[in-house]
Amino acid sequence: MSLDPFLVRPIIEAALREDLGRTGDITSNAVIPATATATARIMARAPGRIAGLGVAGWVFTTLNPSVEVTFEASDGDDVEAGSMLATVAGSARSILGAERVALNLLGRLSGIATVTARLVEIVAPHGTAIAGTRKTTPGLRTLEKYAIRVGGGSNHRFGLDDAVLIKDNHIAIAGGVAAAVSSARAAVGHLVKIEVEVDTLGQLGEALEAGPDVVLLDNMSTEELVQAVALVDGRVVIEASGGITPENVADIAATGVDVISLGWLTHSVTALDVALDVVI
């Protein structure tokens, strides 16, 4: 699993432009000589799964290619509080100028990976996949989807263009579940998956008759999910979503659904606490 620098570089450049503003780091420029060098350590202040360490390194080298980054950990590592993740050496002004962007990205992505890994472990006995959604931070979807994979999770759609997901508003406008699925099947190619969201067992029956590839059971109780799994009987992939938390995810997985998707993996995650400390 890796990230393409071509896709990540625009994100890093935009974040650096946002932070450096019109005149750059006026504090560092005022108090640190232009020729000063420093060495700093990136540390984990809390336990968790690391994701985005390479991205953090790219932040420093994007601002100043002469800065040297030495990694002491890798994405996918589970670390303890106090673990050293990387060493950064070079221009002191450049290190401090890139610090916040690097830590923001590393902390957020590691937070996503940490929570995802926790949920994946919880549902593992049931063979259920944990997936993220499109409820990502604008501009950071590529990175946040990557962090979910580092945590052992799966990706749902990357955007509106890579799969059909017929939701309640589509159904209302199209005139029903069957009509929406039929229209989608006629419009897309054979390589495009079609998923339809339902929130009642009655709608599920209609959806199965229409022949989608995946059904999304939205905000159903565990009792309803058990009935839905029995009704589907292996004919299509079953996804559950809505109102799912670490406290009830095991019960949801035990119903027999194939995939559990959670938007809060990306929209409400707590960043892992990481820090940069100058040592020389």
Side-chain angles (χ1 to χ4, degrees):
M1 156 186 355
S2 61
L3 283 166
D4 189 330
F6 178 79
L7 299 177
V8 177
R9 188 178 182 89
I11 299 172
I12 292 173
E13 291 177 341
L16 286 171
R17 282 195 298 270
E18 178 182 60
D19 207 26
L20 292 169
R22 294 169 296 177
T23 58
D25 180 1
I26 61 173
T27 306
S28 295
N29 292 345
V31 304
I32 297 175
T35 57
T37 60
T39 298
R41 294 171 180 166
I42 299 177
M43 310 290 292
R45 288 180 173 170
R49 178 162 296 188
I50 298 303
L53 192 55
V55 174
W58 286 339
V59 174
F60 292 102
T61 57
T62 296
L63 187 60
N64 186 339
S66 71
V67 171
E68 297 182 357
V69 182
T70 303
F71 298 109
E72 306 295 338
S74 301
D75 283 2
D77 286 353
D78 293 314
V79 303
E80 299 298 325
S83 298
M84 185 163 69
L85 306 179
T87 301
V88 186
S91 163
R93 286 185 178 181
S94 297
I95 290 172
L96 297 183
E99 172 186 3
R100 180 42 51 199
V101 170
L103 295 182
N104 282 352
L105 292 173
L106 175 60
R108 178 159 184 80
L109 299 185
S110 296
I112 292 170
T114 298
V115 172
T116 303
R118 176 186 172 195
L119 295 184
V120 168
E121 182 180 10
I122 291 173
V123 304
H126 306 287
T128 312
I130 294 293
T133 71
R134 284 170 43 245
K135 295 179 181 178
T136 54
T137 307
L140 296 184
R141 182 169 297 170
T142 296
L143 298 181
E144 293 182 347
K145 291 280 194 179
Y146 166 77
I148 289 172
R149 298 199 305 276
V150 172
S154 303
N155 287 150
H156 209 279
R157 295 188 297 172
F158 268 80
L160 294 171
D161 61 341
D162 60 346
V164 172
L165 175 48
I166 300 168
K167 299 176 72 67
D168 53 355
N169 287 331
H170 298 107
I171 292 170
I173 296 171
V177 172
V181 174
S182 177
S183 295
R185 186 67 70 189
V188 300
H190 68 287
L191 294 180
V192 179
K193 296 286 188 180
I194 297 175
E195 180 174 18
V196 60
E197 176 187 281
V198 299
D199 52 23
T200 68
L201 294 175
Q203 278 190 326
L204 174 59
E206 292 179 53
L208 291 174
E209 289 183 10
D213 301 293
V214 186
V215 291
L216 190 162
L217 309 178
D218 186 44
N219 281 297
M220 287 191 179
S221 67
T222 53
E223 293 78 10
E224 289 174 317
L225 290 174
V226 169
Q227 295 178 60
V229 169
L231 183 61
V232 170
D233 193 28
R235 286 178 284 175
V236 298
V237 174
I238 305 173
E239 175 186 344
S241 189
I244 301 171
T245 67
E247 289 69 36
N248 66 10
V249 71
D251 293 334
I252 301 296
T255 64
V257 299
D258 301 299
V259 181
I260 295 174
S261 60
L262 307 94
W264 63 259
L265 284 178
T266 48
H267 70 58
S268 297
V269 72
T270 299
L272 187 71
D273 190 3
V274 293
L276 181 145
D277 297 311
V278 172
V279 293
I280 299 176

